Amino acid sequence: MNTDDELRECLKRQRKYASFFDWPRKDVKELGIVETLFESMKLQGINIFQNLCISQKDPPDCIAEDQSGNLIGLEVSEFVDEEAVRLNAQGKDVYRDWAIDEIVKQLEIIITEKDSKTFHGGPYKKLILVIHTDEFVIDFQTLKPILETHAFRKTNQITGAYLLFSYDPEISHFPHIQLKIAAK
């Protein structure tokens, strides 16, 4: 099978809902998501990570180094309505209309769940959670002022979290919001 055939096959298998970041190989998908976050950060003049690669022991999904050479673990999670994914796979054309309080609650759930994992490798100077979304109604411009001021519950392991949005043609890149986690 040639590259074009492989790409066509991937597109056939791609899920029907919130599929921007979807990719058949989980490790490649996660690496691409973290790379996309790093590129978005660089556009804001933030260049704090280097030497990104897929982690050999999951979790974390990826590892990188900070500017001082310290090891950073990066865990990736998706913000998506699983019921909408399931219904669209069955041929129904639906989407989830998220309310702001539901978004905040779901982010809290994701952060708490990922914070409870046992992370391998390390020791890590930081453990960063990258939450990506391609939900139709979750809008960067709407959420930015809300999430930049909201403090999520303190965590035991996760030291930072980012919400990464799919490509926004109005700003010509992938916007992100750094989520505030309460101090330990």
Side-chain angles (χ1 to χ4, degrees):
M1 189 177 331
N2 66 33
T3 306
D4 289 343
D5 292 337
E6 287 178 42
L7 186 56
R8 275 192 276 283
E9 194 60 35
C10 284
L11 290 173
K12 276 192 228 174
R13 290 190 310 253
Q14 187 176 34
R15 72 180 191 205
K16 307 293 185 247
Y17 180 78
S19 62
F20 187 86
F21 291 105
D22 200 30
W23 196 251
R25 277 192 48 201
K26 183 179 179 280
D27 59 344
V28 174
K29 171 184 172 177
E30 292 163 343
L31 182 67
I33 289 165
V34 175
E35 286 174 335
T36 301
L37 172 65
F38 288 2
E39 289 169 13
S40 178
M41 293 170 79
K42 284 179 188 176
L43 288 173
Q44 293 182 344
I46 304 166
N47 189 13
I48 54 176
F49 301 108
Q50 58 197 13
N51 300 326
L52 175 65
C53 64
I54 296 169
S55 176
Q56 298 304 309
K57 294 182 177 183
D58 183 2
D61 299 308
C62 299
I63 53 174
E65 294 175 349
D66 65 14
Q67 297 298 332
S68 300
N70 296 306
L71 199 57
I72 306 298
L74 295 125
E75 183 67 5
V76 177
S77 186
E78 182 175 24
F79 186 117
V80 69
D81 184 275
E82 294 295 337
E83 180 69 4
V85 170
R86 188 182 66 73
L87 290 171
N88 277 270
Q90 294 173 355
K92 296 180 173 82
D93 189 19
V94 300
Y95 69 94
R96 169 80 181 265
D97 191 10
W98 292 90
I100 298 294
D101 62 327
E102 293 174 320
I103 294 168
V104 172
K105 182 179 177 184
Q106 185 62 31
L107 288 169
E108 190 78 62
I109 290 168
I110 293 169
I111 293 168
T112 301
E113 181 223 318
K114 291 296 184 173
D115 190 52
S116 71
K117 289 186 173 265
T118 301
F119 291 93
H120 306 286
Y124 297 104
K125 181 76 172 179
K126 294 180 182 177
L127 282 168
I128 305 294
L129 175 58
V130 181
I131 304 167
H132 63 92
T133 190
D134 188 34
E135 282 282 356
F136 181 68
V137 299
I138 297 181
D139 177 64
F140 169 72
Q141 296 297 340
T142 303
L143 284 180
K144 185 176 185 208
I146 295 160
L147 293 180
E148 284 183 336
T149 58
H150 179 82
F152 291 91
R153 283 186 231 132
K154 75 177 185 173
T155 54
N156 294 317
Q157 300 180 93
I158 301 292
T159 56
Y162 295 86
L163 179 60
L164 178 67
F165 298 81
S166 55
Y167 184 80
D168 186 336
E170 288 186 28
I171 56 176
S172 301
H173 70 90
F174 300 84
H176 73 275
I177 300 169
Q178 184 173 3
L179 305 176
K180 288 185 178 184
I181 295 177
K184 294 184 184 227

